[in-house]
Amino acid sequence: MTTSVKWQETDDIIRLSGIIKRFGGAQALSDASLAVRRGTVHGLVGQNGAGKSTLIKLLAGLHEADEGAIEIDGVAYAGLSPQQVGHLGIHFIHQDRLLVPTFTVGEALFLGREPRIAGTPFLDRKLMRQKSAEILDRYFGLRLPNSALIGELTAAEKQIVQITRALLDNPKVLVFDEPTAALVRREAELLFALIRRLRDEGITILYISHYLSEIVDLCDTVTVLRNGRDVATLAVGETSVREIGALMVNRDIAELYPKPKVAHGSPFLELQGLGLANRYADVSLTLHRGEVLGLTGLVGSGAKELLRTLFGLETATSGAVVIEGDTVFSASPAAATAKRLALVPEDRRRDGVALDLSVTENTTLASLDRFSRAGLLDKGAEKRKASELIERLQIKTDSADALVRTLSGGNQQKVAIAKWLSRQSEIYLLDEPSVGVDIAAKVEIYTLIGELAERGAGIIVLSSDIDELLGITDRVLVFFRGRITREFISAETSPGQVLAELTGANETLRHVG
Amino acid sequence: MAQSSPKPSSFNVRGLARYALVAAFVAVFAVFSAIAPAFLSGANLLSVLVNNFALLAIVAIAMTFAVAAGGIDLSVGTAIDFASFAFVSLVLAGQPIPLAILGALAGGSLVGVFNAILISGIGISPFLATLGTLFVGRSAQQLLTNGGNPVYLPPSGVPEAFRFLGHGVIAGIPVPLVVAFVLIAGAYLILSHTRFGRVVLATGIQASVVRYSGLALSRYTAATYVLVSVIAAVAGLIVTSTVTVYIPSSGNAFLLNAIGATFIGTTLDPHGRPNIPGTVLGVLLLSIVANGLLLSGLNFYWQQVATGLLIFSVLAIGFANRKAASRA
């Protein structure tokens, strides 16, 4: 797998071309190329499953390409090892890179390359302190005591430790993978300033993010990945968030968000001044049959906790929940499901589906009563129900007996929903239903939500994807600091309006991805 | 550099794993019949079933429920002992046998209730909770018996019905074996064909999904540990009727073999789940190896080595399985 690509006059520090990578039968990358120019900030965007992380892992030497050429600084490599990548001066800052929480800052910074006092096996603690203090002070104007424990740091401080660790090696390229996911806005601004400064000092930055507005703010160039292929590389000055978004999904908005017109029926679920201490307060809303209600809010806004309360995972401290006239009190998920409530949780692989149970076993798990008589299971009936739902939801699986682990994210999500269809639940609480789901499955899930509404179910969708929320719901309620601060009619609202409300102060648009 | 398709390879390893358990049987049989002619005799094989297999099978199927639920029960021996103590005490007090049997089951299930409170109620991990129960149970028995003295039943004063449990025959089959078969069948039905069994397996695989599916997770877990102790209590009944003595803390002798048999048994399932037929095969394998080594005149202590080797092989197979699965 040697390459003979000639060194071009453009000064590219990283050149990946024609990369193909398969995992079993799945093709993660099919002819993906990426050329990063020296001394620039280069953005990399794409939907989940577009191949971003595969491409980055390949660059980090964690995966080997099946085909394609890799060229770093003008030298062609048949394959890379993580050590080699480090020697080439390419460093990675991950959103959740494992820093050992019980290490001190000093230990974490120098882990695996501790300087020794010359001629002795002893660590040169003084030199370690000096070097790290110098970098921390120079770039961050910050003194982190070397003895502080990693576990005590904030997300932003941990990131600083990671960046500092990389800077100690005089890197040529820094790769940031979703660096702002855990940061508040002020911290993100500081990070952007730092990235610009590093670029001005000659370090090349590869920046991966879902947030298109960040890309437009920060990057010089952006490469869009879709279905394992690079569909465009654009100068940021000549493009827009809209154009990048359209390239990522390759669809019209109308096609992306199918939404049937459903006449709303009687009030189904009513919340009357519901509150949970320190989480949210005074939440009143009415969900009608046939209605799709959207909720959104930043982390900690209380929207997620509200869904958890409705499903009996938290216990409200004030107010009432009324379902078709009956005041209900769900002290546990068991009680909530008995009231026809269904939760499709955000952490699908932990809470939504059992990865090592089969599609059939997952599908019937919430409705085993329907498939048993005197405690004895009717496995034939289970299988028939599962097959029916596999057909109806177009779940792509080898068989009803295949483990859910073998399914793609989108199909796992369909199983998580099928579980409640089998139970004939009527009030669906969907927490980030399209996270980690490929675009085709997303549309299928949206279609299914529409079908459920048509059948008279009530649906609450919590999502941080504003386009999605406005596309598939009737109304959107915005949570800010534990309260509903605004209600929007989805069809009459632009993403910008919701975003302004979401952040509490008409801040500039940040999350569009 | 193209990868071989992972699916067939994982299938092969799994297939091999299952084949290995059967192959182990064939090999063990062949080796022992060659070196110990008495091994293959009907009398010997029956004795293996009655003396080695029956009791261990009962304890191991109890253990299988705990492992299926994602936990373990280190206190099965304690349940055996409590049942045994209750049984002997009630018989000595002149109570009728049916009442003594109920008392024994209740005595054993106390251990399960205690575990259930620790695990479901307080949230202690099954390993630590049942380890604690094991220690508490041992001390309790020493206190009850003046420092661990056995309680003998006088040979004359034992009712016939009592002897029947340990030494009787139904349709030509010794009672302990009949009881083991009935429990095996019942346990298989419960674990593989009931709602309860499905929830237990799902709990062992991914407990949080069980909870998020609206199932009362803690009640199922509590019921599991009570069931484990009741099944173990039956083993306590049988062992007491056979030897007509209660020896404090003697039930722990079954613990490690029961765990070993359960994990050997997981290799029989295509997904590596604990299962009753697998556990029974595991018990059979361990029993035969123990008996064969004895007949071969090998040092008694080699039995432990052989058991260890069997479990090592299972772990190796299981590791290969996971490796194959993770590549998928």
Side-chain angles (χ1 to χ4, degrees):
Chain A
M1 206 188 58
T2 52
T3 173
S4 60
V5 173
K6 286 274 188 305
W7 185 237
Q8 310 273 308
E9 58 227 71
T10 49
D11 190 12
D12 289 340
I13 190 159
I14 294 172
R15 236 168 203 286
L16 308 175
S17 35
I19 303 286
I20 293 177
K21 176 67 187 171
R22 281 176 289 266
F23 294 103
Q27 185 132 359
L29 291 174
S30 47
D31 193 16
S33 299
L34 175 69
V36 180
R37 201 153 175 195
R38 191 184 307 275
T40 62
V41 180
H42 192 112
L44 183 62
V45 297
Q47 296 269 334
N48 289 316
K52 281 176 305 186
S53 58
T54 308
L55 195 64
I56 293 310
K57 282 185 177 157
L58 210 118
L59 182 63
L62 299 172
H63 288 330
E64 219 173 325
D66 295 332
E67 281 171 49
I70 300 174
E71 221 175 281
I72 310 287
D73 234 347
V75 183
Y77 295 87
L80 294 167
S81 71
Q83 289 78 9
Q84 219 176 354
V85 171
H87 288 312
L88 289 168
I90 304 177
H91 291 264
F92 295 80
I93 316 291
H94 291 289
Q95 54 181 333
D96 52 0
R97 176 74 165 271
L98 294 173
L99 286 169
V100 185
T102 54
F103 274 22
T104 65
V105 168
E107 285 165 342
L109 284 174
F110 291 95
L111 180 64
R113 48 178 176 176
E114 294 85 350
R116 318 262 162 177
I117 296 169
T120 76
F122 302 112
L123 300 182
D124 191 341
R125 292 185 186 277
K126 192 174 152 209
L127 182 68
M128 281 161 64
R129 256 198 313 279
Q130 237 173 27
K131 280 179 77 172
S132 60
E134 183 190 310
I135 290 184
L136 285 168
D137 189 50
R138 183 167 146 216
Y139 288 99
F140 304 99
L142 179 74
R143 283 179 195 282
L144 271 181
N146 257 6
S147 57
L149 289 181
I150 295 294
E152 298 167 350
L153 304 183
T154 66
E157 286 169 335
K158 279 184 205 159
Q159 194 171 59
I160 288 171
V161 171
Q162 280 192 40
I163 297 172
T164 307
R165 191 177 145 82
L167 291 177
L168 282 167
D169 271 357
N170 299 317
K172 289 183 187 157
V173 181
L174 284 182
V175 182
F176 288 85
D177 192 354
E178 298 287 353
T180 57
L183 303 186
V184 300
R185 183 159 184 88
R186 187 178 48 81
E187 294 166 337
E189 296 289 359
L190 288 173
L191 177 71
F192 298 158
L194 171 70
I195 287 176
R196 292 193 185 96
R197 175 163 167 196
L198 292 172
R199 174 193 56 194
D200 295 343
E201 291 180 8
I203 296 175
T204 309
I205 311 284
L206 184 55
Y207 189 89
I208 298 135
S209 180
H210 278 305
Y211 299 112
L212 297 189
S213 53
E214 284 180 1
I215 297 282
V216 174
D217 274 0
L218 186 65
C219 299
D220 303 306
T221 318
V222 59
T223 295
V224 181
L225 286 182
R226 189 175 72 226
N227 296 334
R229 225 179 278 266
D230 57 309
V231 290
T233 295
L234 308 162
V236 161
E238 296 159 15
T239 184
S240 66
V241 167
R242 280 256 151 208
E243 187 187 1
I244 298 172
L247 281 165
M248 276 166 67
V249 297
N250 194 30
R251 266 169 197 272
D252 285 344
I253 297 293
E255 230 181 295
L256 192 55
Y257 303 117
K259 167 99 181 78
K261 289 234 178 297
V262 182
H264 295 174
S266 51
F268 201 174
L269 171 75
E270 279 173 76
L271 310 188
Q272 300 168 348
L274 205 64
L276 176 64
N278 299 322
R279 295 290 179 213
Y280 59 84
D282 200 24
V283 173
S284 296
L285 63 85
T286 304
L287 174 71
H288 299 82
R289 284 189 174 270
E291 185 178 24
V292 184
L293 181 63
L295 298 184
T296 191
L298 300 175
V299 172
S301 66
K304 188 172 295 286
E305 289 76 8
L306 178 68
L307 286 198
R308 292 177 58 83
T309 309
L310 292 177
F311 195 64
L313 291 158
E314 314 268 356
T315 306
T317 44
S318 61
V321 178
V322 178
I323 296 177
E324 295 198 316
D326 291 336
T327 301
V328 299
F329 179 73
S330 299
S332 67
T337 51
K339 297 292 176 194
R340 293 165 289 164
L341 283 152
L343 175 70
V344 176
E346 179 180 15
D347 195 340
R348 172 169 61 238
R349 294 167 63 86
R350 193 188 69 197
D351 307 324
V353 289
L355 298 173
D356 288 320
L357 286 181
S358 71
V359 174
T360 302
E361 288 163 330
N362 270 286
T363 304
T364 58
L365 190 58
S367 51
L368 288 171
D369 282 338
R370 291 178 180 277
F371 303 98
S372 53
R373 192 161 296 165
L376 280 180
L377 289 174
D378 180 349
K379 293 191 176 182
E382 282 189 88
K383 193 93 165 255
R384 283 192 296 279
K385 187 65 184 180
S387 303
E388 175 202 318
L389 286 166
I390 286 171
E391 175 76 28
R392 178 170 156 209
L393 306 192
Q394 311 253 302
I395 298 171
K396 286 170 201 71
T397 176
D398 290 345
S399 81
D401 295 327
L403 296 185
V404 164
R405 180 181 293 286
T406 63
L407 272 53
S408 72
N411 286 297
Q412 289 179 357
Q413 187 71 316
K414 290 187 211 165
V415 172
I417 298 172
K419 184 167 83 175
W420 299 116
L421 297 182
S422 168
R423 200 193 156 88
Q424 303 183 347
S425 299
E426 291 198 287
I427 302 174
Y428 288 81
L429 312 169
L430 310 176
D431 188 355
E432 302 286 357
S434 68
V435 162
V437 166
D438 66 72
I439 190 84
K442 264 186 198 188
V443 177
E444 287 171 6
I445 289 169
Y446 300 152
T447 309
L448 177 64
I449 291 172
E451 279 173 25
L452 287 172
E454 282 174 322
R455 288 169 180 231
I459 297 143
I460 299 182
V461 181
L462 170 62
S463 177
S464 48
D465 182 337
I466 307 300
D467 283 335
E468 162 185 297
L469 213 52
L470 291 173
I472 64 172
T473 62
D474 300 300
R475 287 184 292 152
V476 172
L477 303 178
V478 177
F479 272 72
F480 184 72
R481 298 206 173 130
R483 287 173 192 275
I484 295 176
T485 52
R486 185 81 186 264
E487 173 175 339
F488 291 104
I489 304 297
S490 305
E492 302 163 3
T493 309
S494 75
Q497 289 170 281
V498 179
L499 280 162
E501 195 63 37
L502 190 67
T503 49
N506 291 312
E507 281 193 333
T508 46
L509 192 140
R510 180 168 164 225
H511 175 174
V512 178
Chain B
M1 207 160 56
Q3 278 183 324
S4 61
S5 171
K7 244 184 208 143
S9 98
S10 86
F11 178 79
N12 285 343
V13 173
R14 292 237 164 88
L16 184 74
R18 286 199 268 176
Y19 178 70
L21 194 49
V22 179
F25 264 111
V26 175
V28 163
F29 259 90
V31 169
F32 287 136
S33 16
I35 55 179
F39 174 75
L40 264 186
S41 74
N44 181 56
L45 292 180
L46 186 65
S47 132
V48 170
L49 287 178
V50 176
N51 297 323
N52 302 48
F53 172 81
L55 281 171
L56 181 56
I58 295 171
V59 184
I61 61 173
M63 182 64 72
T64 303
F65 278 98
V67 175
I72 196 157
D73 189 345
L74 301 179
S75 63
V76 281
T78 314
I80 293 173
D81 295 333
F82 273 43
S84 177
F85 177 76
F87 197 37
V88 167
S89 305
L90 289 168
V91 170
L92 277 178
Q95 299 294 335
I97 291 297
L99 188 69
I101 289 177
L102 281 181
L105 294 179
S109 66
L110 270 186
V111 174
V113 170
F114 189 63
N115 285 333
I117 291 169
L118 295 177
I119 295 165
S120 286
I122 305 178
I124 302 175
S125 79
F127 184 92
L128 294 176
T130 59
L131 184 64
T133 305
L134 171 67
F135 285 123
V136 171
R138 186 182 290 171
S139 294
Q141 292 177 61
Q142 282 168 346
L143 291 170
L144 285 169
T145 58
N146 282 329
N149 292 317
V151 181
Y152 293 94
L153 285 172
S156 54
V158 177
E160 199 42 47
F162 180 93
R163 263 186 198 289
F164 181 74
L165 267 181
H167 299 281
V169 171
I170 298 174
I173 306 169
V175 171
L177 206 50
V178 173
V179 173
F181 286 151
V182 168
L183 286 180
I184 287 167
Y188 170 71
L189 196 68
I190 291 176
L191 192 57
S192 299
H193 290 280
T194 65
R195 187 178 187 285
F196 175 80
R198 174 68 58 74
V199 178
V200 167
L201 279 170
T203 303
I205 283 169
Q206 218 169 310
S208 89
V209 172
V210 170
R211 183 160 171 260
Y212 274 79
S213 295
L215 294 159
L217 179 61
S218 57
R219 267 187 250 162
Y220 280 97
T221 306
T224 303
Y225 283 91
V226 174
L227 177 65
V228 169
S229 67
V230 171
I231 299 174
V234 176
L237 271 175
I238 304 264
V239 74
T240 312
S241 329
T242 312
V243 299
T244 64
V245 58
Y246 154 69
I247 304 170
S249 298
S250 57
N252 290 333
F254 296 102
L255 173 64
L256 298 181
N257 280 335
I259 295 174
T262 300
F263 281 97
I264 289 173
T266 59
T267 60
L268 196 69
D269 182 88
H271 302 310
R273 298 177 188 171
N275 64 98
I276 299 296
T279 298
V280 171
L281 277 181
V283 172
L284 212 47
L285 192 60
L286 290 179
S287 310
I288 286 170
V289 167
N291 172 265
L293 288 172
L294 206 67
L295 290 184
S296 317
L298 266 176
N299 186 323
F300 171 76
Y301 297 103
W302 282 103
Q303 284 188 29
Q304 305 283 322
V305 175
T307 309
L309 283 177
L310 269 177
I311 292 169
F312 283 146
S313 340
V314 170
L315 286 180
I317 293 164
F319 181 70
N321 257 334
R322 272 196 298 282
K323 228 175 135 182
S326 73
R327 260 185 273 127

